[in-house]
Amino acid sequence: MNDLQDLHELYSDEEVMRYWSTAPYSELYQTEMTLRFMLDREYNGRCDFAIEYAPPSTTPKTIGKVGLWDGHEIGLMLARPFWGKGYMKEAMAEFLHGFWQREDMKGQHEMVADVDPRNSACIGLLKSFGFKETGYREKTWETHLGWCDSLDLKLERPKD
């Protein structure tokens, strides 16, 4: 639970949580419950990871996460001070490379994304890795923003 405070900074940030499926967390216990859920899942350490920032001579800080929900739907978040600096692109590249190489994921033929169509940064990032649009659904999530639509994207397993 060393990452709890760092993750709470993410989960309580209104801008980071703008397109998430829940409102920003107001209490630390909400982040603790989410972290416990992440740690207890079978995907932890296989396809659900924290992103750490560790410049020389400093204590590493968790600045985001990238992983698969239920083993096939990608989710990602990054702390605002690190937006637009290439950190998520680097994390995604490492994540995708490692994921497709895993022996226990050889049967996985694709991963999908359900993105709020207003989240152009996320859509651009996913498309830069080869995700293709597969559909658009209206009023799929009722969140702190009201009803939100979904842009569906899919990434096929690379050919060996």
Side-chain angles (χ1 to χ4, degrees):
M1 298 292 265
N2 295 341
D3 299 325
L4 180 60
Q5 192 58 49
D6 292 344
L7 284 171
H8 187 64
E9 288 177 29
L10 291 167
Y11 281 102
S12 63
D13 186 311
E14 193 167 319
E15 286 299 307
V16 171
M17 296 293 283
R18 175 177 302 267
Y19 302 114
W20 206 253
S21 57
T22 65
Y25 295 170
S26 57
E27 303 292 333
L28 187 64
Y29 82 87
Q30 294 170 289
T31 305
E32 183 177 2
M33 289 175 58
T34 297
L35 181 55
R36 285 187 189 284
F37 176 77
M38 288 167 47
L39 293 173
D40 291 344
R41 292 181 56 227
E42 67 176 297
Y43 301 112
N44 182 45
R46 286 183 36 213
C47 54
D48 196 14
F49 298 95
I51 301 168
E52 285 198 341
Y53 177 70
S57 303
T58 64
T59 302
K61 177 176 179 58
T62 298
I63 62 166
K65 67 180 287 303
V66 59
L68 297 183
W69 169 253
D70 287 343
H72 72 283
E73 183 178 330
I74 195 156
L76 41 100
M77 64 176 13
L78 187 67
R80 241 187 309 162
F82 299 91
W83 289 2
K85 297 179 180 172
Y87 291 103
M88 185 55 80
K89 192 162 191 126
E90 181 181 347
M92 276 286 294
E94 290 295 321
F95 171 76
L96 291 172
H97 175 75
F99 178 79
W100 296 123
Q101 299 302 312
R102 291 187 62 89
E103 224 20 73
D104 58 339
M105 293 295 150
K106 293 291 185 191
Q108 183 93 13
H109 300 290
E110 65 185 29
M111 63 179 67
V112 299
D114 175 349
V115 183
D116 187 311
R118 298 170 290 186
N119 192 345
S120 58
C122 182
I123 294 166
L125 175 76
L126 293 172
K127 286 183 172 183
S128 77
F129 283 99
F131 278 80
K132 305 283 188 224
E133 291 183 28
T134 60
Y136 187 96
R137 296 172 291 136
E138 294 181 353
K139 292 186 176 181
T140 52
W141 291 95
E142 187 173 18
T143 74
H144 56 292
L145 300 176
W147 280 102
C148 299
D149 297 343
S150 290
L151 178 65
D152 298 315
L153 299 104
K154 178 171 70 172
L155 178 66
E156 302 277 342
R157 173 185 276 284
K159 305 290 185 230
D160 289 333

mmCIF file of all heavy atoms in Angstrom, residues 115-157:
data_model
loop_
_atom_site.group_PDB
_atom_site.id
_atom_site.type_symbol
_atom_site.label_atom_id
_atom_site.label_comp_id
_atom_site.label_asym_id
_atom_site.label_seq_id
_atom_site.Cartn_x
_atom_site.Cartn_y
_atom_site.Cartn_z
ATOM 1 N N VAL A 115 -13.852 4.540 -24.654
ATOM 2 C CA VAL A 115 -13.347 5.880 -24.367
ATOM 3 C C VAL A 115 -14.451 6.910 -24.564
ATOM 4 O O VAL A 115 -15.192 6.856 -25.542
ATOM 5 C CB VAL A 115 -12.152 6.221 -25.294
ATOM 6 C CG1 VAL A 115 -11.572 7.582 -24.957
ATOM 7 C CG2 VAL A 115 -11.081 5.147 -25.219
ATOM 8 N N ASP A 116 -14.527 7.862 -23.644
ATOM 9 C CA ASP A 116 -15.434 8.993 -23.831
ATOM 10 C C ASP A 116 -14.955 9.737 -25.078
ATOM 11 O O ASP A 116 -13.785 10.107 -25.167
ATOM 12 C CB ASP A 116 -15.381 9.910 -22.604
ATOM 13 C CG ASP A 116 -16.409 11.019 -22.634
ATOM 14 O OD1 ASP A 116 -16.510 11.706 -23.681
ATOM 15 O OD2 ASP A 116 -17.094 11.222 -21.623
ATOM 16 N N PRO A 117 -15.833 9.947 -26.069
ATOM 17 C CA PRO A 117 -15.407 10.583 -27.322
ATOM 18 C C PRO A 117 -14.826 11.989 -27.151
ATOM 19 O O PRO A 117 -14.129 12.474 -28.037
ATOM 20 C CB PRO A 117 -16.691 10.641 -28.151
ATOM 21 C CG PRO A 117 -17.659 9.746 -27.493
ATOM 22 C CD PRO A 117 -17.229 9.563 -26.071
ATOM 23 N N ARG A 118 -15.059 12.627 -26.011
ATOM 24 C CA ARG A 118 -14.488 13.947 -25.757
ATOM 25 C C ARG A 118 -13.030 13.873 -25.310
ATOM 26 O O ARG A 118 -12.342 14.884 -25.262
ATOM 27 C CB ARG A 118 -15.325 14.678 -24.702
ATOM 28 C CG ARG A 118 -16.762 14.921 -25.148
ATOM 29 C CD ARG A 118 -17.617 15.412 -24.023
ATOM 30 N NE ARG A 118 -17.834 14.327 -23.068
ATOM 31 C CZ ARG A 118 -18.638 14.392 -22.021
ATOM 32 N NH1 ARG A 118 -19.292 15.512 -21.766
ATOM 33 N NH2 ARG A 118 -18.791 13.360 -21.212
ATOM 34 N N ASN A 119 -12.565 12.666 -25.002
ATOM 35 C CA ASN A 119 -11.206 12.485 -24.497
ATOM 36 C C ASN A 119 -10.236 12.303 -25.671
ATOM 37 O O ASN A 119 -9.712 11.223 -25.916
ATOM 38 C CB ASN A 119 -11.156 11.291 -23.538
ATOM 39 C CG ASN A 119 -9.872 11.228 -22.759
ATOM 40 O OD1 ASN A 119 -8.894 11.896 -23.091
ATOM 41 N ND2 ASN A 119 -9.852 10.398 -21.729
ATOM 42 N N SER A 120 -10.001 13.393 -26.379
ATOM 43 C CA SER A 120 -9.191 13.336 -27.599
ATOM 44 C C SER A 120 -7.746 12.915 -27.326
ATOM 45 O O SER A 120 -7.134 12.249 -28.167
ATOM 46 C CB SER A 120 -9.235 14.674 -28.333
ATOM 47 O OG SER A 120 -8.778 15.708 -27.494
ATOM 48 N N ALA A 121 -7.197 13.273 -26.182
ATOM 49 C CA ALA A 121 -5.815 12.880 -25.871
ATOM 50 C C ALA A 121 -5.700 11.355 -25.776
ATOM 51 O O ALA A 121 -4.772 10.758 -26.327
ATOM 52 C CB ALA A 121 -5.346 13.532 -24.579
ATOM 53 N N CYS A 122 -6.631 10.732 -25.103
ATOM 54 C CA CYS A 122 -6.608 9.275 -24.959
ATOM 55 C C CYS A 122 -6.831 8.595 -26.308
ATOM 56 O O CYS A 122 -6.131 7.642 -26.659
ATOM 57 C CB CYS A 122 -7.667 8.840 -23.952
ATOM 58 S SG CYS A 122 -7.674 7.059 -23.652
ATOM 59 N N ILE A 123 -7.787 9.096 -27.059
ATOM 60 C CA ILE A 123 -8.071 8.514 -28.373
ATOM 61 C C ILE A 123 -6.839 8.622 -29.269
ATOM 62 O O ILE A 123 -6.450 7.652 -29.933
ATOM 63 C CB ILE A 123 -9.301 9.191 -29.012
ATOM 64 C CG1 ILE A 123 -10.554 8.865 -28.196
ATOM 65 C CG2 ILE A 123 -9.462 8.765 -30.477
ATOM 66 C CD1 ILE A 123 -11.757 9.741 -28.521
ATOM 67 N N GLY A 124 -6.201 9.777 -29.275
ATOM 68 C CA GLY A 124 -4.990 9.961 -30.075
ATOM 69 C C GLY A 124 -3.876 9.014 -29.657
ATOM 70 O O GLY A 124 -3.188 8.435 -30.504
ATOM 71 N N LEU A 125 -3.692 8.853 -28.354
ATOM 72 C CA LEU A 125 -2.665 7.941 -27.851
ATOM 73 C C LEU A 125 -2.951 6.514 -28.309
ATOM 74 O O LEU A 125 -2.072 5.837 -28.852
ATOM 75 C CB LEU A 125 -2.601 7.993 -26.319
ATOM 76 C CG LEU A 125 -1.643 6.987 -25.689
ATOM 77 C CD1 LEU A 125 -0.204 7.442 -25.864
ATOM 78 C CD2 LEU A 125 -1.966 6.793 -24.231
ATOM 79 N N LEU A 126 -4.191 6.055 -28.109
ATOM 80 C CA LEU A 126 -4.526 4.689 -28.486
ATOM 81 C C LEU A 126 -4.357 4.466 -29.985
ATOM 82 O O LEU A 126 -3.800 3.446 -30.415
ATOM 83 C CB LEU A 126 -5.949 4.354 -28.040
ATOM 84 C CG LEU A 126 -6.165 4.298 -26.523
ATOM 85 C CD1 LEU A 126 -7.640 4.146 -26.199
ATOM 86 C CD2 LEU A 126 -5.359 3.187 -25.881
ATOM 87 N N LYS A 127 -4.803 5.415 -30.776
ATOM 88 C CA LYS A 127 -4.653 5.281 -32.231
ATOM 89 C C LYS A 127 -3.186 5.263 -32.648
ATOM 90 O O LYS A 127 -2.818 4.579 -33.610
ATOM 91 C CB LYS A 127 -5.413 6.392 -32.953
ATOM 92 C CG LYS A 127 -6.909 6.177 -32.936
ATOM 93 C CD LYS A 127 -7.625 7.256 -33.726
ATOM 94 C CE LYS A 127 -9.104 6.936 -33.861
ATOM 95 N NZ LYS A 127 -9.797 7.958 -34.685
ATOM 96 N N SER A 128 -2.331 5.977 -31.920
ATOM 97 C CA SER A 128 -0.902 5.976 -32.257
ATOM 98 C C SER A 128 -0.283 4.594 -32.054
ATOM 99 O O SER A 128 0.778 4.307 -32.622
ATOM 100 C CB SER A 128 -0.150 7.033 -31.443
ATOM 101 O OG SER A 128 0.080 6.609 -30.106
ATOM 102 N N PHE A 129 -0.937 3.740 -31.282
ATOM 103 C CA PHE A 129 -0.471 2.369 -31.070
ATOM 104 C C PHE A 129 -1.227 1.367 -31.933
ATOM 105 O O PHE A 129 -1.067 0.162 -31.773
ATOM 106 C CB PHE A 129 -0.575 1.990 -29.586
ATOM 107 C CG PHE A 129 0.525 2.598 -28.774
ATOM 108 C CD1 PHE A 129 0.307 3.756 -28.047
ATOM 109 C CD2 PHE A 129 1.798 2.051 -28.763
ATOM 110 C CE1 PHE A 129 1.325 4.341 -27.309
ATOM 111 C CE2 PHE A 129 2.822 2.622 -28.043
ATOM 112 C CZ PHE A 129 2.595 3.778 -27.307
ATOM 113 N N GLY A 130 -2.070 1.862 -32.829
ATOM 114 C CA GLY A 130 -2.752 0.966 -33.762
ATOM 115 C C GLY A 130 -4.176 0.613 -33.412
ATOM 116 O O GLY A 130 -4.803 -0.185 -34.121
ATOM 117 N N PHE A 131 -4.721 1.172 -32.324
ATOM 118 C CA PHE A 131 -6.131 0.919 -32.008
ATOM 119 C C PHE A 131 -6.987 1.503 -33.126
ATOM 120 O O PHE A 131 -6.721 2.598 -33.619
ATOM 121 C CB PHE A 131 -6.519 1.565 -30.676
ATOM 122 C CG PHE A 131 -6.149 0.775 -29.462
ATOM 123 C CD1 PHE A 131 -4.849 0.791 -28.975
ATOM 124 C CD2 PHE A 131 -7.104 0.029 -28.786
ATOM 125 C CE1 PHE A 131 -4.503 0.072 -27.841
ATOM 126 C CE2 PHE A 131 -6.766 -0.682 -27.647
ATOM 127 C CZ PHE A 131 -5.456 -0.669 -27.179
ATOM 128 N N LYS A 132 -8.023 0.758 -33.527
ATOM 129 C CA LYS A 132 -8.945 1.184 -34.582
ATOM 130 C C LYS A 132 -10.342 1.341 -33.996
ATOM 131 O O LYS A 132 -10.764 0.557 -33.140
ATOM 132 C CB LYS A 132 -9.014 0.133 -35.702
ATOM 133 C CG LYS A 132 -7.677 -0.238 -36.294
ATOM 134 C CD LYS A 132 -7.171 0.819 -37.230
ATOM 135 C CE LYS A 132 -5.926 0.337 -37.942
ATOM 136 N NZ LYS A 132 -4.887 1.271 -38.021
ATOM 137 N N GLU A 133 -11.059 2.347 -34.486
ATOM 138 C CA GLU A 133 -12.443 2.550 -34.056
ATOM 139 C C GLU A 133 -13.310 1.400 -34.564
ATOM 140 O O GLU A 133 -13.210 1.007 -35.724
ATOM 141 C CB GLU A 133 -12.988 3.875 -34.598
ATOM 142 C CG GLU A 133 -12.334 5.080 -33.973
ATOM 143 C CD GLU A 133 -12.929 6.393 -34.454
ATOM 144 O OE1 GLU A 133 -14.122 6.424 -34.824
ATOM 145 O OE2 GLU A 133 -12.186 7.405 -34.442
ATOM 146 N N THR A 134 -14.152 0.894 -33.663
ATOM 147 C CA THR A 134 -15.046 -0.201 -34.039
ATOM 148 C C THR A 134 -16.517 0.127 -33.821
ATOM 149 O O THR A 134 -17.376 -0.631 -34.238
ATOM 150 C CB THR A 134 -14.709 -1.493 -33.256
ATOM 151 O OG1 THR A 134 -14.844 -1.224 -31.853
ATOM 152 C CG2 THR A 134 -13.301 -1.968 -33.565
ATOM 153 N N GLY A 135 -16.799 1.221 -33.150
ATOM 154 C CA GLY A 135 -18.197 1.575 -32.925
ATOM 155 C C GLY A 135 -18.347 2.785 -32.047
ATOM 156 O O GLY A 135 -17.372 3.286 -31.464
ATOM 157 N N TYR A 136 -19.578 3.260 -31.996
ATOM 158 C CA TYR A 136 -19.936 4.417 -31.174
ATOM 159 C C TYR A 136 -21.270 4.089 -30.521
ATOM 160 O O TYR A 136 -22.209 3.660 -31.188
ATOM 161 C CB TYR A 136 -20.079 5.667 -32.065
ATOM 162 C CG TYR A 136 -20.277 6.940 -31.283
ATOM 163 C CD1 TYR A 136 -19.201 7.761 -30.999
ATOM 164 C CD2 TYR A 136 -21.539 7.324 -30.842
ATOM 165 C CE1 TYR A 136 -19.363 8.943 -30.283
ATOM 166 C CE2 TYR A 136 -21.713 8.507 -30.128
ATOM 167 C CZ TYR A 136 -20.628 9.301 -29.851
ATOM 168 O OH TYR A 136 -20.792 10.458 -29.146
ATOM 169 N N ARG A 137 -21.330 4.265 -29.197
ATOM 170 C CA ARG A 137 -22.565 3.991 -28.466
ATOM 171 C C ARG A 137 -22.957 5.224 -27.673
ATOM 172 O O ARG A 137 -22.096 5.875 -27.097
ATOM 173 C CB ARG A 137 -22.367 2.790 -27.528
ATOM 174 C CG ARG A 137 -22.073 1.495 -28.285
ATOM 175 C CD ARG A 137 -21.688 0.336 -27.376
ATOM 176 N NE ARG A 137 -20.373 0.585 -26.786
ATOM 177 C CZ ARG A 137 -20.065 0.382 -25.509
ATOM 178 N NH1 ARG A 137 -20.964 -0.056 -24.657
ATOM 179 N NH2 ARG A 137 -18.855 0.620 -25.055
ATOM 180 N N GLU A 138 -24.234 5.524 -27.646
ATOM 181 C CA GLU A 138 -24.734 6.687 -26.918
ATOM 182 C C GLU A 138 -25.211 6.302 -25.523
ATOM 183 O O GLU A 138 -25.732 5.207 -25.310
ATOM 184 C CB GLU A 138 -25.878 7.338 -27.687
ATOM 185 C CG GLU A 138 -25.425 7.933 -29.011
ATOM 186 C CD GLU A 138 -26.556 8.609 -29.768
ATOM 187 O OE1 GLU A 138 -27.728 8.516 -29.333
ATOM 188 O OE2 GLU A 138 -26.262 9.215 -30.809
ATOM 189 N N LYS A 139 -25.000 7.229 -24.595
ATOM 190 C CA LYS A 139 -25.477 7.086 -23.213
ATOM 191 C C LYS A 139 -25.122 5.730 -22.606
ATOM 192 O O LYS A 139 -25.983 5.004 -22.119
ATOM 193 C CB LYS A 139 -26.981 7.321 -23.148
ATOM 194 C CG LYS A 139 -27.362 8.746 -23.438
ATOM 195 C CD LYS A 139 -28.839 8.970 -23.216
ATOM 196 C CE LYS A 139 -29.181 10.427 -23.410
ATOM 197 N NZ LYS A 139 -30.589 10.682 -23.180
ATOM 198 N N THR A 140 -23.843 5.417 -22.599
ATOM 199 C CA THR A 140 -23.395 4.133 -22.052
ATOM 200 C C THR A 140 -23.010 4.209 -20.585
ATOM 201 O O THR A 140 -23.044 3.198 -19.894
ATOM 202 C CB THR A 140 -22.189 3.606 -22.846
ATOM 203 O OG1 THR A 140 -21.196 4.629 -22.901
ATOM 204 C CG2 THR A 140 -22.598 3.202 -24.252
ATOM 205 N N TRP A 141 -22.601 5.376 -20.116
ATOM 206 C CA TRP A 141 -22.171 5.551 -18.729
ATOM 207 C C TRP A 141 -22.853 6.779 -18.142
ATOM 208 O O TRP A 141 -22.783 7.854 -18.728
ATOM 209 C CB TRP A 141 -20.656 5.793 -18.647
ATOM 210 C CG TRP A 141 -19.820 4.615 -18.993
ATOM 211 C CD1 TRP A 141 -19.274 4.337 -20.218
ATOM 212 C CD2 TRP A 141 -19.413 3.574 -18.124
ATOM 213 N NE1 TRP A 141 -18.550 3.188 -20.153
ATOM 214 C CE2 TRP A 141 -18.622 2.687 -18.866
ATOM 215 C CE3 TRP A 141 -19.635 3.297 -16.779
ATOM 216 C CZ2 TRP A 141 -18.052 1.551 -18.326
ATOM 217 C CZ3 TRP A 141 -19.063 2.170 -16.243
ATOM 218 C CH2 TRP A 141 -18.296 1.309 -17.014
ATOM 219 N N GLU A 142 -23.452 6.622 -16.983
ATOM 220 C CA GLU A 142 -23.930 7.788 -16.247
ATOM 221 C C GLU A 142 -22.906 8.073 -15.165
ATOM 222 O O GLU A 142 -22.695 7.262 -14.265
ATOM 223 C CB GLU A 142 -25.314 7.557 -15.640
ATOM 224 C CG GLU A 142 -25.871 8.821 -15.032
ATOM 225 C CD GLU A 142 -27.300 8.688 -14.558
ATOM 226 O OE1 GLU A 142 -27.778 7.550 -14.379
ATOM 227 O OE2 GLU A 142 -27.939 9.730 -14.339
ATOM 228 N N THR A 143 -22.236 9.203 -15.299
ATOM 229 C CA THR A 143 -21.147 9.555 -14.393
ATOM 230 C C THR A 143 -21.420 10.899 -13.741
ATOM 231 O O THR A 143 -22.491 11.481 -13.923
ATOM 232 C CB THR A 143 -19.805 9.639 -15.151
ATOM 233 O OG1 THR A 143 -19.781 10.837 -15.932
ATOM 234 C CG2 THR A 143 -19.560 8.426 -16.035
ATOM 235 N N HIS A 144 -20.436 11.410 -13.032
ATOM 236 C CA HIS A 144 -20.504 12.733 -12.416
ATOM 237 C C HIS A 144 -20.680 13.833 -13.458
ATOM 238 O O HIS A 144 -21.054 14.942 -13.115
ATOM 239 C CB HIS A 144 -19.255 12.977 -11.569
ATOM 240 C CG HIS A 144 -17.973 12.818 -12.318
ATOM 241 N ND1 HIS A 144 -17.518 11.597 -12.791
ATOM 242 C CD2 HIS A 144 -17.054 13.717 -12.709
ATOM 243 C CE1 HIS A 144 -16.379 11.761 -13.423
ATOM 244 N NE2 HIS A 144 -16.069 13.038 -13.386
ATOM 245 N N LEU A 145 -20.439 13.524 -14.736
ATOM 246 C CA LEU A 145 -20.624 14.489 -15.826
ATOM 247 C C LEU A 145 -22.019 14.391 -16.445
ATOM 248 O O LEU A 145 -22.352 15.163 -17.324
ATOM 249 C CB LEU A 145 -19.593 14.244 -16.935
ATOM 250 C CG LEU A 145 -18.128 14.361 -16.564
ATOM 251 C CD1 LEU A 145 -17.254 13.991 -17.751
ATOM 252 C CD2 LEU A 145 -17.803 15.763 -16.092
ATOM 253 N N GLY A 146 -22.807 13.417 -16.004
ATOM 254 C CA GLY A 146 -24.086 13.112 -16.648
ATOM 255 C C GLY A 146 -23.889 11.910 -17.563
ATOM 256 O O GLY A 146 -22.945 11.145 -17.409
ATOM 257 N N TRP A 147 -24.783 11.758 -18.521
ATOM 258 C CA TRP A 147 -24.665 10.631 -19.445
ATOM 259 C C TRP A 147 -23.515 10.862 -20.411
ATOM 260 O O TRP A 147 -23.354 11.955 -20.954
ATOM 261 C CB TRP A 147 -25.960 10.425 -20.222
ATOM 262 C CG TRP A 147 -26.976 9.685 -19.420
ATOM 263 C CD1 TRP A 147 -28.056 10.212 -18.784
ATOM 264 C CD2 TRP A 147 -26.976 8.289 -19.142
ATOM 265 N NE1 TRP A 147 -28.736 9.229 -18.116
ATOM 266 C CE2 TRP A 147 -28.091 8.033 -18.326
ATOM 267 C CE3 TRP A 147 -26.149 7.232 -19.483
ATOM 268 C CZ2 TRP A 147 -28.410 6.763 -17.854
ATOM 269 C CZ3 TRP A 147 -26.465 5.960 -19.024
ATOM 270 C CH2 TRP A 147 -27.579 5.741 -18.216
ATOM 271 N N CYS A 148 -22.725 9.812 -20.613
ATOM 272 C CA CYS A 148 -21.574 9.879 -21.513
ATOM 273 C C CYS A 148 -21.703 8.809 -22.590
ATOM 274 O O CYS A 148 -22.220 7.722 -22.339
ATOM 275 C CB CYS A 148 -20.273 9.645 -20.739
ATOM 276 S SG CYS A 148 -19.982 10.880 -19.464
ATOM 277 N N ASP A 149 -21.218 9.138 -23.759
ATOM 278 C CA ASP A 149 -21.185 8.186 -24.863
ATOM 279 C C ASP A 149 -19.880 7.401 -24.808
ATOM 280 O O ASP A 149 -18.980 7.725 -24.031
ATOM 281 C CB ASP A 149 -21.292 8.922 -26.203
ATOM 282 C CG ASP A 149 -22.608 9.668 -26.361
ATOM 283 O OD1 ASP A 149 -23.564 9.368 -25.612
ATOM 284 O OD2 ASP A 149 -22.681 10.545 -27.231
ATOM 285 N N SER A 150 -19.767 6.386 -25.657
ATOM 286 C CA SER A 150 -18.558 5.566 -25.734
ATOM 287 C C SER A 150 -18.088 5.433 -27.169
ATOM 288 O O SER A 150 -18.886 5.138 -28.063
ATOM 289 C CB SER A 150 -18.826 4.151 -25.199
ATOM 290 O OG SER A 150 -19.021 4.153 -23.818
ATOM 291 N N LEU A 151 -16.817 5.655 -27.369
ATOM 292 C CA LEU A 151 -16.158 5.331 -28.625
ATOM 293 C C LEU A 151 -15.424 4.025 -28.363
ATOM 294 O O LEU A 151 -14.595 3.950 -27.450
ATOM 295 C CB LEU A 151 -15.177 6.429 -29.029
ATOM 296 C CG LEU A 151 -14.398 6.173 -30.320
ATOM 297 C CD1 LEU A 151 -15.344 6.142 -31.522
ATOM 298 C CD2 LEU A 151 -13.328 7.233 -30.508
ATOM 299 N N ASP A 152 -15.747 3.003 -29.123
ATOM 300 C CA ASP A 152 -15.115 1.699 -28.954
ATOM 301 C C ASP A 152 -13.937 1.580 -29.909
ATOM 302 O O ASP A 152 -14.037 1.935 -31.092
ATOM 303 C CB ASP A 152 -16.120 0.576 -29.232
ATOM 304 C CG ASP A 152 -17.286 0.602 -28.253
ATOM 305 O OD1 ASP A 152 -17.033 0.760 -27.033
ATOM 306 O OD2 ASP A 152 -18.434 0.446 -28.686
ATOM 307 N N LEU A 153 -12.828 1.074 -29.373
ATOM 308 C CA LEU A 153 -11.629 0.859 -30.180
ATOM 309 C C LEU A 153 -11.107 -0.542 -29.905
ATOM 310 O O LEU A 153 -11.377 -1.122 -28.843
ATOM 311 C CB LEU A 153 -10.537 1.881 -29.836
ATOM 312 C CG LEU A 153 -10.910 3.339 -30.085
ATOM 313 C CD1 LEU A 153 -11.211 4.036 -28.777
ATOM 314 C CD2 LEU A 153 -9.808 4.053 -30.812
ATOM 315 N N LYS A 154 -10.331 -1.062 -30.850
ATOM 316 C CA LYS A 154 -9.780 -2.412 -30.697
ATOM 317 C C LYS A 154 -8.375 -2.447 -31.266
ATOM 318 O O LYS A 154 -8.087 -1.807 -32.282
ATOM 319 C CB LYS A 154 -10.672 -3.409 -31.435
ATOM 320 C CG LYS A 154 -10.166 -4.845 -31.379
ATOM 321 C CD LYS A 154 -11.172 -5.835 -31.924
ATOM 322 C CE LYS A 154 -11.334 -5.722 -33.402
ATOM 323 N NZ LYS A 154 -12.165 -6.806 -33.963
ATOM 324 N N LEU A 155 -7.520 -3.205 -30.595
ATOM 325 C CA LEU A 155 -6.158 -3.456 -31.070
ATOM 326 C C LEU A 155 -5.986 -4.960 -31.233
ATOM 327 O O LEU A 155 -6.178 -5.718 -30.272
ATOM 328 C CB LEU A 155 -5.135 -2.921 -30.066
ATOM 329 C CG LEU A 155 -3.661 -3.167 -30.414
ATOM 330 C CD1 LEU A 155 -3.267 -2.389 -31.670
ATOM 331 C CD2 LEU A 155 -2.762 -2.791 -29.245
ATOM 332 N N GLU A 156 -5.672 -5.378 -32.439
ATOM 333 C CA GLU A 156 -5.428 -6.798 -32.712
ATOM 334 C C GLU A 156 -4.023 -7.185 -32.247
ATOM 335 O O GLU A 156 -3.104 -6.360 -32.289
ATOM 336 C CB GLU A 156 -5.541 -7.067 -34.224
ATOM 337 C CG GLU A 156 -6.869 -6.704 -34.828
ATOM 338 C CD GLU A 156 -7.928 -7.780 -34.658
ATOM 339 O OE1 GLU A 156 -7.570 -8.936 -34.377
ATOM 340 O OE2 GLU A 156 -9.118 -7.444 -34.798
ATOM 341 N N ARG A 157 -3.883 -8.442 -31.846
ATOM 342 C CA ARG A 157 -2.550 -8.968 -31.497
ATOM 343 C C ARG A 157 -1.635 -8.824 -32.706
ATOM 344 O O ARG A 157 -2.016 -9.163 -33.822
ATOM 345 C CB ARG A 157 -2.651 -10.439 -31.096
ATOM 346 C CG ARG A 157 -1.300 -11.099 -30.890
ATOM 347 C CD ARG A 157 -1.424 -12.584 -30.606
ATOM 348 N NE ARG A 157 -1.678 -12.817 -29.206
ATOM 349 C CZ ARG A 157 -0.762 -12.723 -28.236
ATOM 350 N NH1 ARG A 157 0.467 -12.371 -28.530
ATOM 351 N NH2 ARG A 157 -1.059 -12.944 -26.995
#
